[in-house]
Amino acid sequence: MRLRFLTLLTIACLLPIRIWAADTLHIEQKLLSEYNHTALFHKQIWQNSAIRYNLRPFSLTTTSVNGLYEERGSAALVQEGNGEKNFNIKVNSFVVLNQHSRLFGTASYRNGRREDVVWNENSDFSLLYPYVVGDSIGGYMKEEEYKFSGGYTYRFGKWAGGAELDYRAVIAYRDKDPRPRNIISDLKASLALSRNLGEKYILGLSVQARKYNQRSDIKYLADKGPTSVYQMLGLGMDYVRFAGSQTSSRYTGSGIGGSIDLLPVGKNGENNGFSASLRTDYFHLTKELVSINYAPINEVKNVDISLETAWTHQNREWKYGVNLLAALQQRTGVENIFGDPTANVYPKISSVDQFKNATQKIALKGMVGQSLYGSRRWGWTLLPSVGYGQTKPEYKDNGRYVEIASASGGLKAQSLWKVSKMLLSASVAGGYTTNVKSEYSLPGLDTQKSAGSALLSNIDYLSDDHASIALKLRGDYVVNKQYALFLSADWLHQEYKNCGGTDRIEVSLGVTF
């Protein structure tokens, strides 16, 4: 499977080359346009495949080989591990077929492992929580991920239509007891439509559907035999009736979503002016225990709403912008209650909404900069930001809850130099996040047991003040009119007041054409 995927990935890299005969823009001009383009300042709106027609007026493909190393120590959620190492290959392509149509897509392969994962033997914790299968032993988790996405948009008069398909497959496992093996398939499909409103704005609508599956099986090969696993319910609770030996589970989910988007456009394709994107997604997930006839013991109902607004202005020399993002997530967890089994069939007799988590986030970001243009050899950008976030998970039956709120501020400075056939970019960012509110009530929690101490460790991490600094260096070397090679390195360090420091390093080598 890996060899077949890498062959397809190579084909995906080479397919856009045949289009380039009709694309006369020099690769250096394309790179400068990408560095100076304010479109990257607002991201949500470009999820609309019809509006993506206006992303850029030229074809561009990037292929890269990347390596990532991260070490987090105590500053991590225990269910997600405290470190990561992976190798990945990525291809991202946007092709202008003609003046009416655009083709775009991505492909990637990732191979790596997460370290010290406990109380979670599944993958995609943020999607499944709190209903994971957990134990106190855990360990590393090896992962292979394959991703493909492809889309097409066509413009006819004042209208444009688009469609996109996205597929992700994951295999995650551990070759040491306990030995989970998780197989994931995640499919998304979207349709979109947009219309020009006069000469200054485009209004777009999109709809999306999603289908998700994860099968998880745990095996034990050591002579000492199996240990107990638990069906977690959130905030240190577990489904006592099914604790012990239920080591096979299945998660099935489906979702729908949509957006309404407003994008400013100018005569030359600039996105100067006010933009807005309102998006909402609903996702329903069911957890089933395989060995008892796929009894659906838990359900998750998740609603996400996000609003991104921005104002940008760019001329030949200067660029300015303000971006506001507000997001709300409402998550409800359902426990199904079963009667006495007959022939291993558990009849469901009732359902109770026990878990709830409300999360809010708001972030404000500014931009001011001077573009690299004409004979100018240097450009710069400043990006100040402030934000506020709050989360409150609750377990109704015993009155447990945790409420954490934090505020943050930061500044990022970017610079770009043109030296002969080289484009050199550098950025430095610093920020600080401080806790505004941290309170919890956990009646009946045994802090001496592993599950209780893991919960307290998560609370300490999420409520801890921390400072961060990030550095990024990148060099693009123009080989000829069509191709440029690049090398980049990113480093992020976070220093927590009580949980210690974290480091994340990523190195990339690639080609742009």
Side-chain angles (χ1 to χ4, degrees):
M1 182 177 179
R2 183 187 308 178
L3 180 60
R4 186 183 307 143
F5 182 85
L6 292 177
T7 302
L8 292 172
L9 195 61
T10 303
I11 295 173
C13 297
L14 298 176
L15 276 177
I17 294 177
R18 62 192 299 268
I19 310 295
W20 282 92
D23 195 337
T24 59
L25 193 63
H26 198 288
I27 186 63
E28 182 179 272
Q29 293 174 286
K30 295 181 180 182
L31 291 172
L32 287 174
S33 178
E34 288 296 291
Y35 277 115
N36 294 329
H37 200 3
T38 59
L40 300 178
F41 189 61
H42 36 87
K43 297 181 179 180
Q44 181 171 297
I45 199 168
W46 300 113
Q47 296 180 35
N48 183 307
S49 57
I51 284 182
R52 210 176 305 176
Y53 176 94
N54 301 276
L55 180 60
R56 58 175 70 94
F58 53 82
S59 298
L60 189 69
T61 297
T62 300
T63 303
S64 63
V65 178
N66 316 280
L68 172 69
Y69 174 82
E70 183 176 31
E71 185 175 343
R72 301 198 61 87
S74 299
L77 293 176
V78 298
Q79 292 91 347
E80 295 186 336
N82 61 11
E84 182 178 357
K85 295 180 288 187
N86 73 57
F87 159 83
N88 62 84
I89 303 173
K90 296 179 182 178
V91 181
N92 191 317
S93 187
F94 183 91
V95 179
V96 178
L97 297 175
N98 52 53
Q99 66 176 4
H100 294 291
S101 55
R102 308 284 191 263
L103 186 68
F104 47 88
T106 62
S108 67
Y109 168 75
R110 177 176 62 88
N111 189 315
R113 59 185 272 170
R114 293 181 291 123
E115 306 293 342
D116 297 327
V117 180
V118 293
W119 289 108
N120 174 28
E121 297 293 358
N122 298 106
S123 301
D124 291 344
F125 175 72
S126 62
L127 189 66
L128 272 54
Y129 88 93
Y131 301 128
V132 295
V133 179
D135 62 73
S136 61
I137 301 174
Y140 59 84
M141 186 77 80
K142 296 182 178 180
E143 296 177 329
E144 285 190 58
E145 180 185 69
Y146 307 81
K147 293 178 70 174
F148 271 123
S149 71
Y152 177 77
T153 178
Y154 183 83
R155 185 171 182 177
F156 44 99
K158 293 184 177 181
W159 294 87
E164 186 172 13
L165 196 66
D166 185 304
Y167 180 72
R168 178 176 67 103
V170 180
I171 301 173
Y173 61 95
R174 184 188 306 122
D175 46 21
K176 180 181 178 181
D177 285 7
R179 302 168 187 253
R181 187 172 185 266
N182 307 323
I183 299 177
I184 297 170
S185 64
D186 191 1
L187 179 65
K188 299 177 183 177
S190 66
L191 296 172
L193 191 66
S194 69
R195 189 183 191 281
N196 285 59
L197 303 179
E199 297 182 353
K200 293 185 177 181
Y201 283 95
I202 294 176
L203 180 66
L205 297 172
S206 73
V207 293
Q208 176 180 291
R210 182 180 189 181
K211 182 64 177 176
Y212 178 89
N213 285 280
Q214 179 175 164
R215 172 65 186 256
S216 178
D217 298 286
I218 304 174
K219 294 183 178 179
Y220 299 85
L221 300 182
D223 293 338
K224 62 183 179 181
T227 57
S228 294
V229 296
Y230 302 87
Q231 313 303 320
M232 306 308 295
L233 300 176
L235 295 182
M237 299 293 295
D238 72 278
Y239 209 142
V240 176
R241 182 177 184 180
F242 299 114
S245 59
Q246 300 295 336
T247 56
S248 295
S249 57
R250 184 176 71 175
Y251 297 82
T252 59
S254 59
I256 56 172
S259 70
I260 178 169
D261 310 282
L262 184 69
L263 177 73
V265 291
K267 294 181 179 180
N268 299 318
E270 307 97 338
N271 302 128
N272 291 337
F274 174 80
S275 68
S277 175
L278 176 63
R279 184 176 186 86
T280 181
D281 290 281
Y282 172 78
F283 185 72
H284 181 271
L285 181 78
T286 301
K287 176 184 178 181
E288 301 168 326
L289 294 183
V290 175
S291 61
I292 52 174
N293 287 306
Y294 295 90
I297 65 169
N298 298 116
E299 297 175 48
V300 170
K301 302 173 184 178
N302 194 86
V303 178
D304 284 288
I305 302 173
S306 59
L307 172 65
E308 182 185 55
T309 62
W311 175 86
T312 55
H313 179 78
Q314 182 177 14
N315 54 35
R316 189 182 180 191
E317 183 176 1
W318 291 92
K319 55 185 177 182
Y320 312 92
V322 178
N323 176 288
L324 177 66
L325 175 65
L328 170 67
Q329 182 184 86
Q330 187 72 42
R331 191 174 189 87
T332 302
V334 179
E335 295 178 19
N336 294 325
I337 310 301
F338 298 89
D340 294 332
T342 302
N344 206 34
V345 175
Y346 285 72
K348 187 174 76 170
I349 58 177
S350 66
S351 296
V352 182
D353 292 355
Q354 287 282 34
F355 181 82
K356 178 182 177 183
N357 188 18
T359 303
Q360 300 92 32
K361 180 177 71 174
I362 186 167
L364 178 66
K365 182 167 62 175
M367 175 180 66
V368 60
Q370 196 169 25
S371 302
L372 194 159
Y373 71 97
S375 60
R376 186 179 175 86
R377 299 284 175 172
W378 177 61
W380 58 271
T381 307
L382 293 178
L383 298 158
S385 62
V386 293
Y388 175 83
Q390 178 176 315
T391 184
K392 187 178 181 180
E394 304 173 75
Y395 192 84
K396 297 180 180 180
D397 188 51
N398 57 11
R400 292 185 184 181
Y401 77 91
V402 177
E403 186 171 7
I404 297 172
S406 60
S408 62
L411 177 65
K412 182 177 183 179
Q414 300 174 326
S415 191
L416 176 66
W417 295 270
K418 185 177 182 298
V419 182
S420 185
K421 292 186 176 182
M422 293 283 293
L423 290 175
L424 302 175
S425 63
S427 68
V428 57
Y432 192 81
T433 300
T434 183
N435 181 262
V436 176
K437 185 176 184 179
S438 178
E439 63 179 47
Y440 57 86
S441 176
L442 303 169
L445 181 70
D446 188 345
T447 59
Q448 301 302 313
K449 291 186 176 180
S450 177
S453 62
L455 175 58
L456 294 180
S457 176
N458 285 347
I459 295 172
D460 290 342
Y461 157 61
L462 293 173
S463 60
D464 201 3
D465 295 354
H466 66 276
S468 63
I469 183 170
L471 299 175
K472 180 176 181 179
L473 300 174
R474 173 167 168 156
D476 292 84
Y477 177 75
V478 178
V479 178
N480 55 34
K481 180 182 176 181
Q482 292 185 353
Y483 297 92
L485 299 174
F486 72 86
L487 175 65
S488 69
D490 294 77
W491 172 64
L492 170 65
H493 177 77
Q494 295 174 306
E495 192 63 37
Y496 285 77
K497 185 177 180 181
N498 298 313
C499 295
T502 75
D503 285 288
R504 184 181 189 274
I505 300 172
E506 184 172 13
V507 179
S508 302
L509 174 65
V511 57
T512 306
F513 55 93

